[in-house]
Amino acid sequence: MRTSAKLIRLCAVVPSGLAGSFVAVMGLGFLPDLGLVAALAGTVVVSLVLACGVWEAPVVRVFGFARGLRQGERAALASTLALLKVLDLEPQRVVMRLTDTGGVPATWIGRRTVVVEPTLVQGLYEHRLTREGAAAAIGHAVASQRIGPSRFDLAARLWAFPLTLLYVVIRQIARAFSWVPASGFAWQMRFVIGVIVVVQGFQPGGDPAIGIATGILIAISYVAPAADRYWRRVVERASDRIVALAGLAGSMVDYAQWQDGADSLERVHRISAAADERQRQKQALHEHSEQTAESGQGDALVLTHPTALR
């Protein structure tokens, strides 16, 4: 499973990294050739450093838009982290998102870090969220991180950062003009624009390089998200199983129903099946222990010590 997850992840990361590099070159086009080479070399060096696990603490705060935990937040999470430690799902580092994104309560980033949303800590403090519920959310992020691949996560984010910025800008523009009729349909039909630009690039007076580059970017805008969604589904299934086998199946079912709503039927079924498997494993282990104990008693040697004559 880990091998397939890595291959699927590559299908999403490599195109995004190439597209991000292209966007960076276009944005830094005002620099001389030596400046572009220096920027590329610097990116390669920083990528190697991040791949070795160095500078993770400050870098995750930039890419994750997060900060360190304050004393009160750490105290609110103490019991949850203690439970995760018992279940062998404790994250090595926890940081707090600067602003609530409205997404999942906890996500992984880098090799050792989990980013929690402010609503998770606030829910624990106000007793709207149980310790087991928070443990299921954070444990699911830790399980996903272990499935990975997480070693080159920050390096991949670095190469895709220009494309991410471009995506954020386009998304904000789309939201600003969401009142325009058929604006969403226009984005779905972007491949038509790509075909037109490619054809115009090979017309007399056109630039084939710009046409090909635009076509590649349009293709990546379809391929990379599709591969990323498929990879997330693969990791989600495996992580659900890990958390359920750890003993948090009930909280995991509530988490899945909150996250997926009416579409959580199959996911809840898989979690319940993993919980049943855990119960069977515990029962089999208990029966094996009883059989071992009975066998030990039956085969035990009784030593008789002669009574001393007085």
Side-chain angles (χ1 to χ4, degrees):
M1 213 294 295
R2 296 180 62 88
T3 302
S4 62
K6 291 179 180 180
L7 293 177
I8 298 169
R9 184 62 171 163
L10 283 176
C11 294
V13 168
V14 173
S16 299
L18 294 176
S21 302
F22 175 77
V23 172
V25 170
M26 296 294 292
L28 299 176
F30 61 92
L31 294 177
D33 294 340
L34 185 60
L36 289 175
V37 173
L40 179 62
T43 305
V44 172
V45 172
V46 174
S47 301
L48 294 176
V49 172
L50 294 177
C52 294
V54 185
W55 297 347
E56 178 169 323
V59 172
V60 295
R61 301 189 181 192
V62 177
F63 288 158
F65 301 100
R67 58 170 174 79
L69 291 176
R70 295 167 181 162
Q71 291 298 327
E73 296 164 346
R74 194 177 299 278
L77 285 171
S79 60
T80 300
L81 296 179
L83 174 60
L84 289 172
K85 184 175 182 179
V86 173
L87 300 177
D88 194 26
L89 288 173
E90 183 185 20
Q92 296 188 28
R93 183 185 296 110
V94 180
V95 295
M96 175 73 68
R97 188 91 65 184
L98 293 176
T99 58
D100 192 358
T101 62
V104 295
T107 55
W108 67 275
I109 181 173
R111 289 186 175 188
R112 298 176 290 271
T113 308
V114 170
V115 183
V116 297
E117 299 284 336
T119 51
L120 185 143
V121 178
Q122 194 68 23
L124 282 173
Y125 176 71
E126 297 176 355
H127 301 288
R128 293 183 288 104
L129 181 65
T130 63
R131 179 185 69 163
E132 289 75 14
I138 298 176
H140 192 270
V142 174
S144 301
Q145 188 175 47
R146 292 177 180 176
I147 295 170
S150 61
R151 177 177 300 178
F152 302 103
D153 178 61
L154 292 178
R157 291 175 186 262
L158 176 64
W159 285 97
F161 190 66
L163 182 63
T164 303
L165 289 179
L166 180 62
Y167 174 77
V168 170
V169 172
I170 293 176
R171 187 175 181 181
Q172 294 300 323
I173 294 174
R175 286 182 177 179
F177 290 93
S178 59
W179 56 271
V180 178
S183 58
F185 178 75
W187 170 250
Q188 296 296 330
M189 298 297 292
R190 61 190 180 274
F191 71 91
V192 177
I193 300 176
V195 172
I196 294 174
V197 173
V198 171
V199 172
Q200 288 182 345
F202 287 91
Q203 296 297 320
D207 191 343
I210 295 179
I212 293 175
T214 304
I216 292 175
L217 283 178
I218 296 295
I220 288 176
S221 69
Y222 286 99
V223 174
D228 185 70
R229 287 192 299 269
Y230 185 76
W231 169 75
R232 291 182 185 277
R233 287 196 297 268
V234 171
V235 174
E236 179 185 85
R237 288 194 293 268
S239 301
D240 289 346
R241 174 180 169 82
I242 292 174
V243 177
L245 290 177
L248 294 174
S251 299
M252 198 64 231
V253 167
D254 296 336
Y255 179 75
Q257 290 175 339
W258 168 84
Q259 185 176 355
D260 298 334
D263 297 330
S264 62
L265 180 60
E266 293 299 326
R267 186 177 179 187
V268 169
H269 175 71
R270 290 195 301 267
I271 296 172
S272 301
D276 294 339
E277 179 183 349
R278 179 177 184 269
Q279 188 64 29
R280 289 194 298 270
Q281 289 177 354
K282 290 179 61 177
Q283 184 177 358
L285 181 62
H286 179 69
E287 293 176 354
H288 178 70
S289 299
E290 290 182 346
Q291 293 176 359
T292 303
E294 293 176 357
S295 175
Q297 291 176 358
D299 298 337
L301 297 178
V302 180
L303 301 180
T304 304
H305 297 279
T307 305
L309 298 175
R310 295 182 181 273

